[in-house]
Amino acid sequence: MMDFLRDFFSYLKERKKWWLIPVIVILLLFGTLIVLSSGSAIAPFIYTLF
């Protein structure tokens, strides 16, 4: 896993694709929110956002 992250950040650095970092972070946050709330009572409210 660490090799993947190291390669990914070296790719971003080499290709100057720094704008991808916020996109990836937001996608990870949304994915985490959906996974953690899937079994809770707030799940119907979260799914209406999408």
Side-chain angles (χ1 to χ4, degrees), residues 30 33 43-50:
F30 278 143
L33 179 68
F45 301 110
I46 300 269
Y47 288 126
T48 59
L49 294 176
F50 302 105

Side-chain angles (χ1 to χ4, degrees), residues 3-4 7 9 11-12 17-19 21 26-27 29 31-32 34-35 38 43-45 48-49:
D3 290 334
F4 170 74
D7 288 341
F9 282 115
Y11 167 78
L12 292 178
K17 302 281 185 186
W18 298 113
W19 58 271
I21 292 176
I26 289 173
L27 286 174
L29 287 175
T32 305
I34 289 173
V35 167
S38 64
F45 301 110
T48 59
L49 294 176

